[in-house]
Amino acid sequence: MFSISAAPIDAMALQCELEATGVGAVVCFEGRVRDHNEGRAVNALSYQAYAELAETEGNRIIEETHAKFAVEHIVCVHRVGDLALGEVAVWAGASAEHRAAAFDACRYVIDQVKMRVPIWKREHYVDGASTWLHPEPDRAK
Amino acid sequence: MFSISAAPIDAMALQCELEATGVGAVVCFEGRVRDHNEGRAVNALSYQAYAELAETEGNRIIEETHAKFAVEHIVCVHRVGDLALGEVAVWAGASAEHRAAAFDACRYVIDQVKMRVPIWKREHYVDGASTWLHPEPDRAK
Amino acid sequence: MKYRLLYFASLCDAAGRAEETVSSDARDVHALYAELASRHGFTFAPERLRVAVNGEFTDWSCPLADDDEVAFLPPVSGG
Amino acid sequence: MKYRLLYFASLCDAAGRAEETVSSDARDVHALYAELASRHGFTFAPERLRVAVNGEFTDWSCPLADDDEVAFLPPVSGG
């Protein structure tokens, strides 16, 4: 399940959604607000989403991931609103019988979410400026 | 830091050891006791380690991982003793500025630990039998 | 025709609003973007944007119907 | 010479003990393993085992000194 959350992400609760009999491997990813980006000191971020389409596209990614890898459960949540340094902006987890599938699935989900899901980040800099990030395709990280 | 633990693994506490200013990505892996292996129903596992050498070799793997990938912190703990179904047998986590390094490092650590660290698993089957696992090199998973 | 527009991120800043309803003679999304870009000073070339109509991605030749909800999506930066 | 032996996993089961101290004429780990394999019925060919002396991996030609601690390590299965 992919969802957009205005509330802080509760990683423990999300990880519980990955439980299933026969699961041998769980891989979780947390993307956090860093204190810098490309050489500029950052002191906060804001995320905005086209929530309806973000959830549609996010769940499409999760369906694709189930089709590609032998996984049991996949969960991904992306925050919106204002985030402080260190807060979790995005969380993704995958459970599987074997670890290769869990790693591959978790990574595929987060890579695709960052490329495709309509969510935008505004960086607030220590010097008071702020800007929306609209990366060129080849610079997307 | 790599360590051997006779007590249950406290994933939250370990994840806290990955914290650092500037960390943008955290990847964690949990290996759990499954209820089956290669078609046989399992109801418990025991792990035995050559603890002294396991910690030496585990920390060597972590040093290698720091040399190979741009990571901030790496933590790995392996349980020993008797484990019930669903218990965490091994936990590995990596934090980094960017997610590619965190994923690569976490996976490298667990792959190498499984291949190289002197720890052995005994499977206890539902039918009452039990056996130490000594996989052939090409069958190690 | 009347269209409902949704604006996100820097397009929202440029338009000075997150949504609006406009009357327009444009009959496809390409023509509609040209009109809105001119009105609001949008600087993105169309090839850098994706388009969604009624909550689903579509392409720039998509014909429009009265009351369609249209969003021009600048390059995303989630994560 | 006296050696302290550590046994793990199925070698521990086969030897019926986790450790022992033995007196032996063997002067390297290869000769020592041959002696112990015969005594305890170890069935692993040496090429399937790793060897550790005094808490560090070494190779099968490693010479031994009095009081060395030696472990023959069957294929590992952690994780």
Side-chain angles (χ1 to χ4, degrees):
Chain A
M1 244 273 290
F2 180 88
S3 58
I4 296 291
S5 172
I9 288 175
D10 180 349
M12 287 314 295
L14 294 176
Q15 197 171 332
C16 289
E17 297 180 25
L18 300 174
E19 299 292 343
T21 307
V23 159
V26 176
V27 174
C28 300
F29 168 79
E30 280 186 14
R32 309 235 194 116
V33 179
R34 282 185 295 138
D35 62 356
H36 63 283
N37 189 33
E38 301 190 356
R40 286 187 85 172
V42 170
N43 60 8
L45 291 185
S46 312
Y47 285 95
Q48 192 179 63
Y50 183 0
E52 178 189 6
L53 183 52
E55 297 200 342
T56 301
E57 186 71 353
N59 282 305
R60 202 175 277 141
I61 289 167
I62 287 177
E63 276 173 44
E64 287 171 19
T65 311
H66 274 288
K68 289 171 77 80
F69 306 106
V71 287
E72 196 68 41
H73 294 299
I74 304 168
V75 173
C76 185
V77 178
H78 202 296
R79 268 296 291 284
V80 290
D82 300 323
L83 278 73
L85 296 183
E87 275 199 271
V88 177
V90 57
W91 192 95
S95 59
E97 187 167 343
H98 297 293
R99 74 186 184 285
F103 271 107
D104 289 343
C106 187
R107 191 162 189 166
Y108 182 81
V109 166
I110 185 63
D111 286 352
Q112 294 293 315
V113 164
K114 287 178 74 104
M115 276 194 291
R116 293 163 48 184
V117 173
I119 300 173
W120 299 270
K121 175 192 308 187
R122 184 179 199 125
E123 288 183 343
H124 301 273
Y125 304 107
V126 170
D127 63 14
S130 73
T131 189
W132 288 105
L133 300 192
H134 294 305
E136 302 285 337
D138 61 340
R139 299 182 59 237
K141 281 197 214 151
Chain B
M1 244 272 291
F2 178 89
S3 58
I4 295 291
S5 173
I9 288 175
D10 180 349
M12 288 313 296
L14 295 175
Q15 197 171 331
C16 289
E17 295 180 26
L18 300 175
E19 300 292 344
T21 308
V23 159
V26 176
V27 174
C28 300
F29 168 80
E30 280 185 14
R32 310 236 193 115
V33 179
R34 282 184 295 138
D35 62 355
H36 63 282
N37 189 33
E38 301 190 356
R40 286 187 84 172
V42 170
N43 60 7
L45 291 185
S46 312
Y47 284 95
Q48 191 179 64
Y50 182 0
E52 178 189 6
L53 183 51
E55 297 200 341
T56 301
E57 186 71 354
N59 282 305
R60 203 175 275 141
I61 289 167
I62 286 177
E63 276 173 44
E64 288 171 18
T65 310
H66 274 289
K68 290 170 78 80
F69 305 105
V71 287
E72 196 67 41
H73 293 299
I74 305 167
V75 173
C76 185
V77 177
H78 201 296
R79 268 296 290 285
V80 290
D82 299 325
L83 278 73
L85 295 184
E87 276 200 89
V88 177
V90 58
W91 191 96
S95 58
E97 187 168 343
H98 297 293
R99 74 186 184 286
F103 271 107
D104 288 343
C106 186
R107 191 161 188 168
Y108 182 80
V109 166
I110 185 64
D111 286 351
Q112 294 293 314
V113 164
K114 288 178 73 105
M115 275 194 293
R116 293 162 48 183
V117 173
I119 299 173
W120 298 270
K121 176 193 306 188
R122 184 179 199 125
E123 288 183 342
H124 301 273
Y125 304 105
V126 171
D127 63 14
S130 74
T131 189
W132 288 104
L133 300 193
H134 294 305
E136 303 284 336
D138 62 339
R139 298 184 56 237
K141 281 195 212 156
Chain C
M1 305 249 251
K2 269 198 337 191
Y3 304 120
R4 182 172 168 72
L5 279 301
L6 305 179
Y7 300 119
F8 297 98
S10 59
L11 293 187
C12 178
D13 288 0
R17 68 206 74 183
E19 49 186 73
E20 65 180 338
T21 301
V22 299
S23 294
S24 168
D25 293 332
R27 289 292 174 271
D28 62 45
V29 293
H30 204 287
L32 181 60
Y33 181 69
E35 187 180 311
L36 295 166
S38 165
R39 183 183 315 159
H40 293 308
F42 296 158
T43 56
F44 283 109
E47 57 270 25
R48 291 203 64 213
L49 303 176
R50 284 186 294 172
V51 185
V53 173
N54 299 327
E56 194 45 86
F57 294 116
T58 186
D59 60 58
W60 283 89
S61 60
C62 183
L64 292 172
D66 205 29
D67 291 328
D68 275 351
E69 182 180 86
V70 183
F72 298 102
L73 308 175
V76 300
S77 51
Chain D
M1 305 249 250
K2 267 198 337 189
Y3 304 120
R4 182 173 168 74
L5 279 302
L6 305 179
Y7 300 118
F8 298 97
S10 59
L11 292 189
C12 178
D13 287 0
R17 69 206 74 184
E19 48 185 75
E20 65 179 338
T21 300
V22 300
S23 295
S24 168
D25 294 330
R27 288 293 175 272
D28 62 46
V29 294
H30 206 286
L32 181 60
Y33 180 69
E35 188 180 309
L36 295 166
S38 164
R39 183 184 315 158
H40 293 307
F42 296 158
T43 56
F44 284 109
E47 57 270 24
R48 292 203 62 213
L49 303 175
R50 284 187 295 172
V51 185
V53 173
N54 299 325
E56 195 45 86
F57 293 116
T58 186
D59 60 59
W60 283 90
S61 61
C62 182
L64 291 172
D66 206 28
D67 291 327
D68 275 351
E69 183 181 86
V70 182
F72 298 101
L73 308 175
V76 301
S77 50

